[in-house]
Amino acid sequence: MELEDLIALTEAESSQHAEIEIRVCTAAGCLSSGSRSLISALEHAVEDRGLGDRVGLREVGCMRLCCEGPLVSVNTSTSDGTRVPTLYGKVDAAQAPDIVTSVEQGRKSAEALHSIDPNGPFFAHQKSVVLEHCGIVEPERIESSIALGAYRSLHRALHDLSPAEVVEQVTRSGLRGRGGAGYPTGLKWATVAKMPPGQKYVVCNADEGDPGAFMDRSILESDPHRVLEGMAIAAHAIGANQGYIYVRGEYPIAISRLDTAIRQAKRFGLLGSGIFDSTFNFRVDLRIGAGAFVCGEETALIHSIEGLRGTPHPRPPYPAESGLWGHPTLINNVETYANIPVILREGADWFAQIGTEQSKGTKVFALAGKIRRSGLVEVPMGVPLREIVERIGGGSPEGSSVKAVQTGGPSGGCIPAELLDTPVEYESLKALGSIMGSGGMVVMDQDDDMVGVARYFMNFCMDESCGKCVPCRAGTVQMHRLLDRIERGEASHDDLVTLEDLCDLVQHASLCGLGQSAPNPVLSTLRFFRHEYESRLIEFSGPPSSAVSSDPR
């Protein structure tokens, strides 16, 4: 495989585009809503009308507006070659003939269908970098990815840039790890690259475990070659020849598409030995997680890949110095690797001008909860939370109002509605007692009980504690019991003081990030919604709390 071969594949793929392209979302959300039967119905309808020569049916990844699934996009070519998109939502198999009929008759929209404006607020206020090809590329066809530029950045890295220059590009871009901590990616790469020559590894952390989060799953299901390319570029930069993707077993579609993508890339000479006729060799293997949340922590993840029990160990040494089987190991998450090809393609300076001074680029969020428009959202760092919740998400459903936004999953916190103008960046969210996390964002309304929300996340942390260190193992149990007593109105003021003391102890004495961040939902709700706690105490003489719901959705 050489650059000329990529260009030839791109031209061949482009020549096969039909006059009318119908794309159907086959990400997990739309598949669960019936997009597989819809595809079969569309195939029959196209065949029945003899439109096989004019209509191309494409199975693509996430189209983002998940609350409207199954989603169907129809692109019709005009006389000047411009493609005009029409987007339909909540389409069922019985409506397939209506879509094909409208296509056949040249009508832009079928009246019986739920038409969605592709330029509406949900899409217009986003900026696509990582998700630029989601909903367009066919994730199970490498030819489709190559036609959209896949592996061009890898070719450039191998033939035009030295490993040190690749690290310099990533460093200058200002990219920070998208897995939650926000550690500078270039600094991590440089640390591994400086380790003595020998065996090194590249690991992709795809063990996305936060409740309500589906960013990494959507990227893997929609554009797996982008992640593989990012890993290969990383391997070239640090001197590794072996990579692993650690993906949770609850993501069968992502696993299947990754497996297909790896086999295709090997067949095309884009993984394996002598990639792009160079001396660079790189293999990627999958490792399937068994559902333990703690395995998202990098030292626990390493143990799990090694075939050991997935428990964390104290650092230092850090994985960059001593990781898999004692060798230097680079670990980044899915979204971080997905940023790499575009940084090399557009340049570090282009990427660095997006976002804020300390938080560069864009961030992908899974927007869910009490919101009109939920789905996959990508915005520049630094936009206010209000932009995401109200302009993109449309705010709370009619008759309700936004009470808080939970970011960062069980390690994050709840930000009250009066602080929605807070910019979305690592430092500003941390200052409010929350974190960016991997990108879960759950909107809550006035019916959500913040004590119940804290108890829900503490129950999650208690169940998911690996039990290795006492502060986390015993502390989360004790905190959950206290939250349960407070919620039932059986706790005293002394219990509330004990809860706060336990938060401090668990936060500062736990071994790994799971325990250290477990108190965050409690601390943030105590900070901004303390009256909801105090109103439940047995000494309280005021009106009872009106909260009714305890499970964030």
Side-chain angles (χ1 to χ4, degrees):
M1 177 68 73
E2 253 302 337
L3 181 60
E4 292 73 18
D5 301 317
L6 287 182
I7 295 171
L9 280 169
T10 300
E11 292 173 347
E13 183 70 10
S14 300
S15 68
Q16 293 177 10
H17 279 181
E19 174 189 348
I20 301 162
E21 297 276 346
I22 299 177
R23 295 190 174 94
V24 182
C25 177
T26 59
C30 281
L31 282 173
S32 67
S33 299
S35 66
R36 180 56 61 197
S37 58
L38 172 60
I39 290 169
S40 298
L42 284 167
E43 288 173 341
H44 287 303
V46 170
E47 184 179 345
D48 290 345
R49 285 167 173 75
L51 296 174
D53 293 338
R54 293 181 57 201
V55 177
L57 190 57
R58 310 287 184 187
E59 298 182 19
V60 298
C62 184
M63 293 184 180
R64 307 193 196 187
L65 191 54
C66 304
C67 61
E68 297 286 355
L71 289 158
V72 175
S73 172
V74 179
N75 284 346
T76 307
S77 293
T78 61
S79 56
D80 63 356
T82 305
R83 286 189 172 266
V84 180
T86 304
L87 185 62
Y88 300 111
K90 297 186 184 301
V91 185
D92 64 40
Q95 293 174 309
D98 293 335
I99 292 178
V100 176
T101 299
S102 70
V103 164
E104 184 178 21
Q105 296 176 353
R107 289 186 280 119
K108 184 178 178 182
S109 176
E111 295 176 359
L113 294 167
H114 173 40
S115 181
I116 298 168
D117 183 2
N119 299 310
F122 182 83
F123 300 100
H125 298 292
Q126 297 194 41
K127 182 174 182 61
S128 298
V129 174
V130 170
L131 303 180
E132 62 181 348
H133 297 148
C134 285
I136 300 172
V137 71
E138 297 168 86
E140 299 196 51
R141 292 186 63 243
I142 192 173
E143 297 88 347
S144 175
S145 297
I146 289 174
L148 289 169
Y151 296 104
R152 299 278 186 100
S153 293
L154 175 60
H155 183 277
R156 177 169 180 251
L158 294 179
H159 289 280
D160 300 337
L161 299 172
S162 68
E165 288 173 325
V166 174
V167 173
E168 192 274 335
Q169 284 275 318
V170 174
T171 302
R172 196 151 53 86
S173 75
L175 176 66
R176 296 170 66 173
R178 299 302 196 237
Y183 191 79
T185 304
L187 181 57
K188 183 182 280 190
W189 287 30
T191 303
V192 184
K194 285 189 292 189
M195 291 295 113
Q199 182 64 58
K200 297 178 183 177
Y201 295 101
V202 168
V203 172
C204 177
N205 185 348
D207 195 47
E208 181 179 59
D210 290 358
F214 51 89
M215 305 76 56
D216 290 352
R217 186 199 74 201
S218 298
I219 294 169
L220 293 174
E221 290 176 347
S222 304
D223 200 359
H225 285 286
R226 188 183 191 91
V227 179
L228 293 178
E229 185 181 8
M231 291 180 67
I233 293 169
H236 165 65
I238 67 163
N241 61 9
Q242 175 68 53
Y244 292 97
I245 302 176
Y246 189 87
V247 57
R248 56 194 288 111
E250 293 90 335
Y251 287 176
I253 299 169
I255 292 169
S256 171
R257 289 180 184 171
L258 276 171
D259 186 57
T260 299
I262 291 170
R263 285 189 285 106
Q264 290 174 339
K266 285 180 181 175
R267 191 170 73 246
F268 278 68
L270 300 168
L271 288 178
S273 302
I275 298 171
F276 282 125
D277 291 332
S278 70
T279 58
F280 175 59
N281 308 319
F282 186 55
R283 285 172 48 87
V284 176
D285 291 312
L286 294 180
R287 290 292 183 268
I288 312 302
F293 180 70
V294 73
C295 285
E297 197 278 338
E298 57 186 18
T299 61
L301 182 151
I302 285 172
H303 281 167
S304 185
I305 290 178
E306 291 175 337
L308 306 173
R309 181 182 176 189
T311 54
H313 68 72
R315 298 175 296 178
Y318 290 91
E321 304 164 288
S322 178
L324 277 172
W325 295 287
H327 297 289
T329 301
L330 174 68
I331 304 179
N332 284 129
N333 85 326
V334 171
E335 186 181 343
T336 308
Y337 285 122
N339 270 293
I340 300 302
V342 73
I343 288 174
L344 290 200
R345 187 188 73 204
E346 301 293 338
D349 294 338
W350 173 86
F351 187 86
Q353 54 87 32
I354 304 171
T356 67
E357 182 61 30
Q358 294 188 321
S359 300
K360 308 290 188 185
T362 61
K363 181 74 190 79
V364 179
F365 291 98
L367 184 60
K370 306 288 183 61
I371 193 85
R372 290 173 187 265
R373 296 184 287 266
S374 61
L376 205 59
V377 171
E378 184 174 12
V379 292
M381 292 280 198
V383 302
L385 269 171
R386 190 180 303 282
E387 174 89 2
I388 301 174
V389 174
E390 295 186 354
R391 296 191 74 183
I392 295 175
S396 284
E398 188 174 355
S400 63
S401 59
V402 174
K403 179 178 182 179
V405 178
Q406 207 278 343
T407 66
S411 301
C414 296
I415 300 167
E418 55 267 31
L419 295 177
L420 282 184
D421 290 319
T422 301
V424 177
E425 54 183 2
Y426 293 100
E427 283 70 26
S428 59
L429 294 181
K430 185 178 179 181
L432 296 178
S434 189
I435 61 170
M436 182 84 72
S438 57
M441 185 176 288
V442 182
V443 179
M444 302 169 190
D445 70 7
Q446 74 279 358
D447 292 331
D448 286 309
D449 169 14
M450 305 314 285
V451 177
V453 168
R455 185 184 59 77
Y456 169 86
F457 282 114
M458 190 54 64
N459 183 65
F460 180 89
C461 292
M462 179 181 69
D463 284 347
E464 294 293 340
S465 174
C466 73
K468 183 170 181 176
C469 73
V470 174
C472 178
R473 183 180 70 230
T476 53
V477 172
Q478 295 303 319
M479 285 194 289
H480 182 263
R481 285 177 180 170
L482 286 168
L483 287 165
D484 197 43
R485 289 187 63 190
I486 294 171
E487 191 176 31
R488 288 188 278 111
E490 298 172 357
S492 66
H493 179 74
D494 288 345
D495 289 324
L496 189 58
V497 172
T498 302
L499 177 64
E500 292 182 282
D501 289 344
L502 276 171
C503 284
D504 183 70
L505 186 150
V506 172
Q507 192 173 48
H508 293 97
S510 294
L511 174 61
C512 79
L514 189 152
Q516 291 163 8
S517 60
N520 284 355
V522 180
L523 291 170
S524 71
T525 50
L526 272 170
R527 178 178 176 182
F528 297 114
F529 304 95
R530 192 177 187 89
H531 62 282
E532 294 195 19
Y533 285 81
E534 293 178 337
S535 69
R536 307 286 183 84
L537 302 181
I538 53 180
E539 298 96 336
F540 184 72
S541 58
S545 170
S546 59
V548 297
S549 173
S550 61
D551 287 340
R553 287 171 286 175

